[in-house]
Amino acid sequence: EIVLTQSPGTLSLSPGERATLSCRARQSVSSNYLAWYQQKPGQAPRLLIYGASSRATGIPDRFSGSGSGTDFTLTISRLEPEDFAVYYCQQYGSSPRYTFGQGTKLEIK
Amino acid sequence: QVQLQESGPGLVKPSGTLSLTCAVSGGSISSGKWWSWVRQPPGKGLEWIGEIYHSGRTNYNPSLTSRVTISVDKSKNQFSLKLSSVTAADTAVYYCAREGVGGYSYGPWGQGTLVTVSS
């Protein structure tokens, strides 16, 4: 099982600032197989990034993904009030086919 | 625009079987995508349960495989989850989701349904 570790656990920033969220895998992950989700309270997760760096339909360009191998990053260039939420990374592998990181909570400072 | 909607009992007794259905609208379940169940215990992270293809082929999380069955009903454009021998640890919001456009990810998702295991 590929374990994903996200850091930091909580990130406190102000609107307009830049957010950098990390996702580290215990084993190498193909870039095609790494995705990021945003989840707000009481809502289902929303796909932001797939294939490590491709934005899903309708996702603003302030969201970007990068990385390869074992280290991946989600960057939000300028935080909007609606961006404060929990973010999960997810990888596709062999067994189980999908695993998620434990999440990073992005909160307003 | 494909939409998914979970339905089923919100309360299940310990040792019983949890049964949920995901109705798909705005698209066909035979569209060549995988269809999945993911759960989230209250205040915790996401756990992948398993997935099914319209052919009936399935993949399950090894941690749940002995208790999980996912099935598809193409005539009703829906798929279902059964989880047997449930305990309080199975209390969670259960989401259904479709494989994303780019593959290897999920989107769209259903709104989720809370299932509580309690006597």
Side-chain angles (χ1 to χ4, degrees), chain A residues 2 4 25 27-34 68-70 72 91-92:
Chain A
I2 296 181
L4 299 177
Q27 306 168 44
S28 184
V29 175
S30 168
S31 295
N32 290 339
Y33 300 162
L34 197 288
S68 64
T70 59
F72 297 88
Q91 68 86 35
Y92 167 89

Side-chain angles (χ1 to χ4, degrees), chain A residues 27-76:
Chain A
Q27 306 168 44
S28 184
V29 175
S30 168
S31 295
N32 290 339
Y33 300 162
L34 197 288
W36 289 92
Y37 300 84
Q38 176 193 67
Q39 187 178 34
K40 297 180 179 179
Q43 296 184 18
R46 177 174 71 145
L47 178 64
L48 298 175
I49 301 288
Y50 64 92
S53 60
S54 297
R55 273 187 300 276
T57 303
I59 301 304
D61 60 7
R62 64 180 181 272
F63 291 91
S64 63
S66 62
S68 64
T70 59
D71 290 296
F72 297 88
T73 300
L74 174 69
T75 301
I76 311 171

Side-chain angles (χ1 to χ4, degrees), chain B residues 43-57:
Chain B
K44 296 187 178 180
L46 300 163
E47 180 182 31
W48 180 75
I49 299 171
E51 62 182 358
I52 191 164
Y53 198 66
H54 63 82
S55 63
R57 182 181 170 189

Side-chain angles (χ1 to χ4, degrees), chain B residues 83-95:
Chain B
L83 181 66
S84 63
S85 303
V86 296
T87 69
D90 295 309
T91 293
V93 175
Y94 285 76
Y95 296 100

Side-chain angles (χ1 to χ4, degrees), chain A:
Chain A
E1 175 179 346
I2 296 181
V3 176
L4 299 177
T5 301
Q6 293 186 239
S7 61
T10 301
L11 183 58
S12 300
L13 293 171
S14 301
E17 291 192 292
R18 180 185 185 89
T20 303
L21 286 67
S22 173
C23 177
R24 181 162 292 177
R26 205 176 279 179
Q27 306 168 44
S28 184
V29 175
S30 168
S31 295
N32 290 339
Y33 300 162
L34 197 288
W36 289 92
Y37 300 84
Q38 176 193 67
Q39 187 178 34
K40 297 180 179 179
Q43 296 184 18
R46 177 174 71 145
L47 178 64
L48 298 175
I49 301 288
Y50 64 92
S53 60
S54 297
R55 273 187 300 276
T57 303
I59 301 304
D61 60 7
R62 64 180 181 272
F63 291 91
S64 63
S66 62
S68 64
T70 59
D71 290 296
F72 297 88
T73 300
L74 174 69
T75 301
I76 311 171
S77 58
R78 292 175 309 280
L79 286 166
E80 297 287 343
E82 62 267 28
D83 298 335
F84 292 91
V86 179
Y87 291 83
Y88 293 95
C89 58
Q90 168 245 301
Q91 68 86 35
Y92 167 89
S94 56
S95 183
R97 281 172 58 105
Y98 292 92
T99 56
F100 294 88
Q102 84 280 15
T104 289
K105 182 180 181 180
L106 178 57
E107 65 176 23
I108 300 177
K109 187 175 182 179

